Amino acid sequence: MDLNTKQTKNTPGRRGLLRGAAVACCAMALSTAGATAASASIPTARTTVNYVALGDSYASGPGIPTQVDATCARSDQNYPSLLAAARNWQLTDVSCSGATTTALAGPQGSQPPQLDALGVDTDVVTLTIGGNDIGFSSNLATCAGLTSKDPAGHPCQTFFTSDGTDRLAQRVEDTAPKIAAALDAVRQRAPHAKVVVVGYPDLFPDDGVGCTGSAVPLAAGDFAYLRDTEKKLNAMIADQASANGARYVDTYTPTVGHDMCKPAGGRWIEPLVAAAPAAPAHPNAQGQQAMAATVERAVRCGASRR
């Protein structure tokens, strides 16, 4: 049975972007994460494919029109919505801004545990999580606050490594077992689902050359440190996906060159003082489209490797 059986709304621009991504199916963005040949494909037995999106603000799309859940800052133009529309899947989106791995199994304020959305009839799960576990937003705020002391240096890196240990790298390491536990919980709740772990897009210039200014108040020497921290986070998440039988989708590589330092129109990540309708240091509408295209490509590759 073709997976594309449930019609949902789309637009020509988004449809073209996602169709173009599918053509380059094997070019990039996918790790099979140790899955067997049988578990690597998306189920095709039923007419409706039940898709559940889990995760934090990089999945929910805060600030991007149209916001459909004020509590979770969730947009109907986030990557799960675009992916569901492209694949004609039935979407249950419980991604929520501020979510940590704890919010998957327990309540997040008034929101029920995200894992409650899963069941034995869940076919596909996407998960974007881990950034809030290492406190990335508060870390950025700390770094921005230190910039005035040494705008040409690296006060943020100095602060987080002052005791001889890279505390951000340690937080990434400490989050690894939480990701593993989350994936195990997903598997228990949705034993038949294909689980896709989506990494974080490129936030900072990949070459380490920054753009210190009013919109991005980070010291010139700290861009490389923050870039490396994000890469460590993504590498850890990829490792945990591989170790726990899930797919990892790399959204960093296809978004290089569209970081927060690029001019409006060319950037897919908003600076710390956002100009487009999106949260600071988060994907804007174009960034969510790019993430959707990358995940859709990975899904198509997986479905073709049966």
Side-chain angles (χ1 to χ4, degrees):
M1 180 72 67
D2 188 350
L3 297 183
N4 298 321
T5 53
K6 181 175 176 60
Q7 186 64 37
T8 56
K9 69 177 182 178
N10 207 339
T11 67
R14 292 201 305 271
R15 189 180 298 116
L17 174 65
L18 294 170
R19 185 184 299 118
V23 172
C25 186
C26 296
M28 59 200 297
L30 177 64
S31 167
T32 56
T36 64
S39 66
S41 60
I42 303 299
T44 59
R46 290 201 310 273
T47 299
T48 300
V49 173
N50 295 318
Y51 163 38
V52 177
L54 311 173
D56 58 25
S57 54
Y58 281 77
S60 69
I64 299 173
T66 299
Q67 293 285 292
V68 295
D69 186 316
T71 301
C72 284
R74 188 184 306 126
S75 171
D76 64 0
Q77 299 300 302
N78 59 359
Y79 87 74
S81 296
L82 299 178
L83 175 63
R87 300 298 292 172
N88 295 323
W89 288 346
Q90 178 65 50
L91 171 64
T92 300
D93 188 354
V94 292
S95 61
C96 196
S97 182
T100 64
T101 51
T102 301
L104 297 177
Q108 183 182 351
S110 62
Q111 299 300 303
Q114 293 190 24
L115 292 177
D116 286 358
L118 301 176
V120 293
D121 62 343
T122 302
D123 299 306
V124 183
V125 178
T126 56
L127 174 63
T128 303
I129 206 76
N132 289 324
D133 287 83
I134 72 167
F136 205 71
S137 293
S138 61
N139 297 338
L140 282 179
T142 297
C143 294
L146 294 168
T147 296
S148 61
K149 297 181 178 180
D150 188 9
H154 43 79
C156 174
Q157 181 176 6
T158 299
F159 175 80
F160 283 110
T161 60
S162 59
D163 62 355
T165 301
D166 186 339
R167 297 199 298 277
L168 295 191
Q170 185 62 52
R171 291 176 191 175
V172 170
E173 183 177 339
D174 292 345
T175 300
K178 300 177 184 179
I179 299 290
L183 289 171
D184 183 63
V186 169
R187 183 64 63 199
Q188 291 183 32
R189 297 287 191 100
H192 309 300
K194 309 309 170 184
V195 182
V196 180
V197 180
V198 181
Y200 291 91
D202 179 21
L203 304 183
F204 312 101
D206 191 59
D207 62 5
V209 178
C211 59
T212 303
S214 59
V216 187
L218 298 172
D222 282 328
F223 282 90
Y225 173 66
L226 292 169
R227 172 208 61 196
D228 290 346
T229 298
E230 185 188 358
K231 287 187 173 183
K232 289 172 184 175
L233 175 62
N234 276 332
M236 178 275 289
I237 294 170
D239 287 345
Q240 293 307 311
S242 177
N244 290 277
R247 290 182 174 277
Y248 174 74
V249 178
D250 167 25
T251 65
Y252 184 99
T253 301
T255 54
V256 167
H258 300 280
D259 55 80
M260 67 173 66
C261 284
K262 298 302 182 289
R267 65 172 173 254
W268 297 344
I269 304 295
E270 286 303 299
L272 272 63
V273 179
H282 278 70
N284 53 31
Q286 288 177 289
Q288 288 288 337
Q289 290 170 17
M291 292 177 71
T294 304
V295 179
E296 207 271 345
R297 179 188 303 118
V299 166
R300 285 186 179 269
C301 284
S304 69
R305 294 176 181 177
R306 298 182 62 195

